Structure formats: C-alpha cells, structure tokens
Amino acid sequence: MIEATVSSAPAAPLPSPRVMYRALTRRDSAYEGVFYAAVKTTGIFCRPTCRAKKPRAENVEFFPTASAALHDGYRPCRLCRPMDRVPAPPPVVARLLRAVEQDPAARLADKELAALGVDPSTARRRFRAYYGLTFQAYQRARRMGLALREVRAGRPVIDVQLDRGYESASGFRAAFLRLFGKPPRGARTDDCLLARRLDTPLGKMLALADRQGLRLLEFVDRRGLEREILGLRRRLKCAVVPGASATLDAVEAQLRRYFAGERREFDLPLAPVGSDFQQQVWAALRRIPPGQTRSYAEIATGVGRAGAQRAVGRANGSNMIAIVIPCHRVIGADGSLTGYGGGVWRKQRLLELERVNGGAGNR
Ligand SMILES: [Zn+2]
C-alpha cells in the first residue's frame, strides 16, 4: 500500500504545455522535478535539463512524476537519468535498472538477481531507499507501460513501432503478448476482451469489456492487475485487443461525468467474473449509496453471513471493477480506511468526491 502511495500520488498540477516546452528547450533547471518530458518517437523520458537533442513539440508528452511516465511505457533516459537523485545511485541499484532493460517484459525474481551476483534482499532494500519505489513496482510499471502502449493507440501499432525503430520494440511486443495474449487473425474480435485506457483525475485506468458487459476497470498501477488480467483471460478463454464498443464508450462517458461531479450512479452492463459468494458481496457493494460507507461486518450480515468479515474482505479486495462496484465504500468498523488495491490515497479521494457531490436529497 505504501508503495502505491509513494509511486503514484499525483504531484502538483502541471504548468501549461507551452511553458513546459519552452523550459525544455531552454534546459531550465527551475523546472527540475516539476515535470518530466517523454518523447513519443523514441519511448524515452527525460528531465527538463537533459542535454540530448530536443524533440519537436508535437512529439513530446509531459508527466508530473517518473512513475506516470513509466506507466505510459517510457523508459528513463540514459543521459539525464530522470529517476536518479543526487548523490548517484549505488552501483547495485544501477545494476538492477540495467538488468531490467535486458528484457523489460520479464519479471526478475530473486533467483535471477542471485545469478547476477546480487544479494536480492540487499538490492531490493537499496533500490527502494534510493527511489522511494520498490524494485517490484518499478518492474511492474515497465511491463504494464509497454503492454499498454498498444491500447493507447486503440489500433494495432506493434509493427509500426518496430518499423520506426522504437527503442524498446522487442520489450514492447513481448510485454504486450505476455499480458494480453495473441490477438486472433483477421478482423474477428467478437470473442475478445476489448481494451481501452481511460484518463481520470486520479490516474490512468484500464477498462476491459466483451459482449456480456464490463469485466474489468482498474487503475493501471494497481498491484495485482497483471494477475487479474491473466485470470480473466483464462476464465473467458480469450485474448485482449485494443478496440471500441458501446460498453467502453459508456464507461468512458459516465466516468468523466462522475469525476466532474455530475453523476453519482453508474448505469452500465456489468459482467464481473467470480464465485457465487463474490457475486453476492459485489451486489451488496452496489447497494451502498454514494456518499455513504459500510463496515465489513455490515456487508457480511447483509449477505447472510454474519461474522464472515474476513471472507467479505477478501471478496471486496478481489473486485476487478473499481469505482463502479464501489469496494472503496467499505471501511473498518473503527472508521479507518483499511486498504485499497489502487492505494489508500485514491480511496480517500473517491470518498471525498462522493461526499462533496452527495449531500441530502442530491442523489
Ligand atoms: Zn534525457
């Protein structure tokens, strides 16, 4: 939980793109830490002060944090090392970064680290101490970011990227195929899960839907998202492809209005995948009115399983349709927020949003 808070809590709002682009071309050190500049054509992100040749304005994308750039599929520049602080990272930390770039789609476990001559627990501790982000979270961000590049474009661009010599082309393809599966040949995507990335004030989200309805809606930096996607693919026997559908259009439109404070309830076809008990708990969650919260014990009683708080907690945590199935409205009996897959800071922001937009009689 702490890791998600450190890595993805949004920084202050960004200056205007024009101001940032000017700062970038002037290598203005006053903007150090204010924004990161990512170059669409190379897949690399930099500090404002990087001495590399500056990209054209239309090829730059700005991010408030390094984590946000990672989640968009960019890797840190080797010249300006935008992840690094002063003093420079310890050699073992630098080695971990290089090891990831050998195959950014893979997962480096303790065994592989040991094979590199690195003591895993020391290396992980030093990585986290230096970056304020666990090594695991860094790898996850690289893999997810690469896989999601395809989804961002909303069309198959793998080959385009390869043609352009995109820096991490191989990692990009491997990450996509590993997470989303091999798309079927031809245009038939009826049996696939269609994917769309959504921008929200609390960060990027991924939505997956098929003909039955919405299957998944999660923040892209949520821990366990890869496991959820692989589980869904196995259960539904399908691949994930970027695409368009009426359900995804509705998700996007309703989420926008929700965050704008113009909508409190969702009216979407939902098709959550889970056991009977999980389905009962998720249905109970949907009966909690916006602006209100319930305890785990209350939900347990509501589904006829008084005393089964733990089981309810697990079912709550395995909800894959964030916000719409409002697992964020379940809190501890003492009023504490307990946990949240997308980070407790998001749970808090969602509850605040619903309280502010709630009020008596404004439902
Ligand atoms: Zn750079």
Side-chain angles (χ1 to χ4, degrees):
M1 285 311 147
I2 289 166
E3 136 200 353
T5 310
V6 170
S7 65
S8 56
L14 286 173
S16 77
R18 194 203 300 207
V19 167
M20 288 189 287
Y21 188 71
R22 196 170 52 215
L24 183 66
T25 53
R26 293 178 181 174
R27 299 186 167 89
D28 188 343
S29 61
Y31 286 84
E32 190 65 53
V34 174
F35 70 81
Y36 295 86
V39 186
K40 294 175 195 166
T41 43
T42 59
I44 292 172
F45 73 97
C46 288
R47 299 171 184 275
T49 51
C50 183
R51 56 193 161 83
K53 187 168 164 286
K54 296 299 181 180
R56 295 147 64 104
E58 65 266 29
N59 291 331
V60 186
E61 206 175 351
F62 296 102
F63 294 95
T65 62
S67 173
L70 287 169
H71 276 99
D72 259 48
Y74 293 101
R75 79 158 174 77
C77 171
R78 290 196 186 96
L79 276 180
C80 65
R81 301 168 179 267
M83 301 277 295
D84 296 5
R85 293 174 323 202
V86 181
V92 65
V93 171
R95 264 172 95 180
L96 290 186
L97 280 188
R98 280 199 303 274
V100 170
E101 294 309 322
Q102 298 284 314
D103 181 5
R107 191 188 306 257
L108 280 176
D110 285 358
K111 202 173 61 187
E112 284 87 34
L113 293 185
L116 293 169
V118 167
D119 172 51
S121 65
T122 310
R124 286 175 191 284
R125 208 167 47 239
R126 303 201 66 178
F127 192 96
R128 179 168 187 166
Y130 187 77
Y131 289 122
L133 175 76
T134 66
F135 182 53
Q136 198 185 15
Y138 176 81
Q139 290 193 73
R140 203 167 56 222
R142 277 296 277 145
R143 290 194 305 267
M144 188 58 68
L146 287 170
L148 286 176
R149 289 193 71 86
E150 173 88 340
V151 177
R152 168 163 62 178
R155 63 196 164 82
V157 292
I158 286 181
D159 295 324
V160 177
Q161 300 279 2
L162 289 174
D163 290 346
R164 276 201 206 141
Y166 184 81
E167 272 246 359
S168 290
S170 59
F172 166 70
R173 177 185 283 262
F176 182 83
L177 294 179
R178 220 167 279 180
L179 185 61
F180 292 142
K182 204 169 167 53
R185 293 218 164 267
R188 247 185 73 86
T189 54
D190 297 17
D191 301 321
C192 294
L193 277 166
L194 298 177
R196 184 176 300 179
R197 283 188 355 170
L198 305 165
D199 285 310
T200 82
L202 299 188
K204 297 260 163 63
M205 298 189 83
L206 174 69
L208 301 180
D210 60 12
R211 274 174 301 183
Q212 316 302 315
L214 183 61
R215 300 285 192 182
L216 179 142
L217 178 65
E218 292 280 27
F219 290 99
V220 299
D221 57 3
R222 182 213 206 289
R223 193 196 317 219
L225 176 55
E226 291 168 301
R227 199 180 58 235
E228 289 183 350
I229 294 171
L230 295 175
L232 266 186
R233 280 180 43 207
R234 205 165 38 238
R235 289 285 292 272
L236 302 172
K237 298 187 172 43
C238 63
V240 176
V241 296
S245 77
T247 299
L248 291 174
D249 287 345
V251 171
E252 184 163 15
Q254 293 186 23
L255 261 189
R256 195 180 310 119
R257 299 197 61 208
Y258 168 83
F259 279 110
E262 298 164 4
R263 173 171 203 126
R264 309 186 66 205
E265 315 263 7
F266 293 90
D267 177 20
L268 296 166
L270 302 185
V273 173
S275 68
D276 288 347
F277 178 69
Q278 286 172 323
Q279 300 282 1
Q280 280 175 38
V281 171
W282 298 337
L285 299 181
R286 296 186 65 199
R287 291 193 291 270
I288 309 173
Q292 297 188 25
T293 55
R294 296 285 182 273
S295 69
Y296 295 93
E298 285 170 325
I299 300 290
T301 305
V303 297
R305 292 273 301 271
Q309 288 91 307
R310 279 173 177 280
V312 164
R314 278 194 301 274
N316 198 59
S318 55
N319 170 37
M320 287 184 262
I321 306 183
I323 301 178
V324 179
I325 296 181
C327 55
H328 61 277
R329 292 183 199 147
V330 184
I331 62 173
D334 60 357
S336 63
L337 288 180
T338 65
Y340 189 59
V344 172
W345 68 274
R346 286 200 177 102
K347 183 171 187 172
Q348 187 164 11
R349 297 274 286 273
L350 291 171
L351 291 175
E352 281 165 9
L353 176 75
E354 294 177 356
R355 244 193 329 265
V356 169
N357 299 326
N362 184 27
R363 203 166 286 161

